[in-house]
Amino acid sequence: MERPVLSEPPDGGWGWLVALAVFLESGLIFGVIRSFGVFFVEFVGHFGEPAGRVSWVTSITIAILLFASPVGTALSTQYGTRPVVMAGGILLGLGMFLASFATSLTHLYLSIGLLSGFGGALVFAPSVAMLARYFKRRRALAIAVAFSAPGLSSLAFSPLFQFLVDSYGWRGGLMIVAGLTFHLVACGTLLRPLALAEDLALAPAPQRSWLAKLSSLFGLALLASRPFLTFAVAGLLMNLGYLVPFVHLVPHAREIGFDEYQAACLVSVMGATDLCGRLVAGWLDARRAFRLLHILTLWILLTGVTLLLVPFGHTYPILMGIDICYGFLAGAVIPLKFSSLVEIVRTGRISEATGLINLLESFGALAGPPLSALNLLPPSWV
């Protein structure tokens, strides 16, 4: 049965179940990535490799997740969001499971970095694009609520992962994490297709060449838009530093003398303040007292200033204070970024725009953590 074409987003209804799906997906993807510092320490010890090389595991994962996003959005446009997301959940969980049998860092690069990263690309970008299509007036609130999961999940996952490592070793811990991530398949079933009138105006004409159709499918025409390109480059530069604390904060805290549970607590507290930041971002957008792009610019600036203070956290209270500030500020950036993107490209092109933005930002995500390892960590770790 063909679904009715809506003149505008429903701004609720089934959209809240889509928000629930994205909430669970973002928690199972980014909550796991944020808490992976616990396994990071174990990899350094087990494989006897410097932190700079081990950090490539996380960098490759995030880079592939972002770089392959246009593939995810193009496949979802062609075959539907639901089957693509479910397939991505299978690949992501399989990558985590295979990583538990790794005998070298190369195996981790391929299993977690390549396979799980690609699975995440098939899950995340299509789901976020669908969520944005279901809302208009309440879009920022829906995105803020859906994206609050990484904060909540990292609050729980960091001590949980430490417990799993202590109880079952890092291999057994990864197997359990794989079981958790397979729940992404169930999340994909909640992503019901939505037909909007705006889509009909943007549908490719049948007489177009295959090259024009491919360009439209991946949204390459957006690269000619100066506002979109400026926004994308800014996101690339932001990602050079944005992910550094999630990769290096736990080993950094361990190296300057704090025990493993104190280090894990930093990630948990960051997750709690991250949640607050995302909800505040949704509230700010709902008030519309300032232009959304101006709020986003200010938030990114303050996040960068907080990162500069990390080397001065020589005592646990000071490091915890920096951790709280970073979590709050960085948490607000993500929902503000995606809400701002809809204002730039409109709802009809949000799927392709999300994929392209993630692709361009992947270069910053790939380079940031390894580069920061040269300065944040002592020579014995690098």
Side-chain angles (χ1 to χ4, degrees):
M1 180 179 177
E2 189 172 335
R3 297 187 180 279
V5 177
L6 303 179
S7 60
E8 61 180 22
D11 216 33
W14 191 268
W16 291 115
L17 285 178
V18 175
L20 174 62
V22 178
F23 175 87
L24 296 173
E25 290 168 2
S26 60
L28 290 172
I29 296 175
F30 295 103
V32 169
I33 290 175
R34 287 182 173 198
S35 306
F36 223 67
V38 173
F39 289 101
F40 181 97
V41 175
E42 298 299 318
F43 295 155
V44 170
H46 180 83
F47 295 109
E49 297 280 1
R53 292 180 185 172
V54 176
S55 67
W56 279 102
V57 176
T58 304
S59 293
I60 293 172
T61 304
I62 298 172
I64 294 296
L65 191 156
L66 298 176
F67 188 82
S69 288
V71 177
T73 54
L75 288 174
S76 66
T77 301
Q78 190 72 17
Y79 301 108
T81 300
R82 183 179 288 165
V84 170
V85 169
M86 293 174 70
I90 293 173
L91 293 177
L92 195 151
L94 182 61
M96 289 289 180
F97 178 74
L98 293 177
S100 66
F101 299 97
T103 58
S104 69
L105 276 184
T106 302
H107 294 163
L108 294 178
Y109 295 158
L110 294 174
S111 56
I112 298 178
L114 185 61
L115 190 57
S116 291
F118 184 70
L122 298 185
V123 172
F124 182 65
S127 298
V128 172
M130 175 168 281
L131 177 62
R133 288 165 53 80
Y134 263 94
F135 290 89
K136 185 176 181 181
R137 184 173 57 87
R138 299 174 179 171
R139 182 180 294 126
L141 176 61
I143 292 176
V145 170
F147 283 5
S148 65
L152 285 174
S153 56
S154 59
L155 182 65
F157 283 169
S158 190
L160 172 63
F161 290 176
Q162 188 64 57
F163 171 78
L164 293 177
V165 168
D166 291 343
S167 302
Y168 307 106
W170 66 266
R171 295 185 187 277
L174 278 179
M175 286 186 181
I176 296 173
V177 172
L180 288 173
T181 55
F182 275 123
H183 286 82
L184 290 167
V185 178
C187 296
T189 63
L190 294 175
L191 302 178
R192 177 189 290 176
L194 177 69
L196 296 175
E198 190 174 351
D199 301 336
L200 301 178
L202 295 171
Q207 66 270 21
R208 284 185 177 181
S209 68
W210 66 268
L211 187 61
K213 290 180 181 179
L214 190 66
S215 176
S216 176
L217 192 63
F218 284 93
L220 298 182
L222 289 169
L223 295 177
S225 167
R226 183 176 177 181
F228 174 81
L229 201 56
T230 303
F231 188 86
V233 171
L236 186 156
L237 296 175
M238 180 197 75
N239 261 21
L240 280 171
Y242 183 83
L243 299 168
V244 170
F246 304 116
V247 178
H248 291 302
L249 187 59
V250 169
H252 175 67
R254 290 284 300 277
E255 185 65 26
I256 62 178
F258 306 124
D259 64 45
E260 61 268 25
Y261 283 96
Q262 284 179 310
C265 182
L266 289 171
V267 180
S268 296
V269 171
M270 188 191 300
T273 54
D274 174 285
L275 169 63
C276 296
R278 291 174 191 247
L279 295 178
V280 168
W283 176 77
L284 284 173
D285 183 49
R287 286 177 58 86
R288 296 286 178 174
F290 304 96
R291 191 180 176 191
L292 198 57
L293 283 170
H294 294 167
I295 299 174
L296 175 62
T297 302
L298 176 62
W299 236 250
I300 292 176
L301 176 63
L302 293 175
T303 302
V305 171
T306 307
L307 270 179
L308 293 175
L309 298 177
V310 171
F312 300 99
H314 300 300
T315 66
Y316 195 71
I318 294 177
L319 188 60
M320 178 63 78
I322 296 171
D323 180 71
I324 290 171
C325 291
Y326 182 81
F328 179 80
L329 294 168
V333 165
I334 300 301
L336 289 173
K337 182 181 76 171
F338 282 104
S339 296
S340 300
L341 180 61
V342 179
E343 290 190 352
I344 293 174
V345 302
R346 314 311 302 170
T347 307
R349 304 307 301 268
I350 187 60
S351 181
E352 299 91 339
T354 300
L356 281 178
I357 283 288
N358 286 344
L359 183 151
L360 295 173
E361 290 182 356
S362 68
F363 297 103
L366 181 65
L371 288 176
S372 64
L374 301 177
N375 299 308
L376 271 182
L377 301 175
S380 62
W381 282 68
V382 180

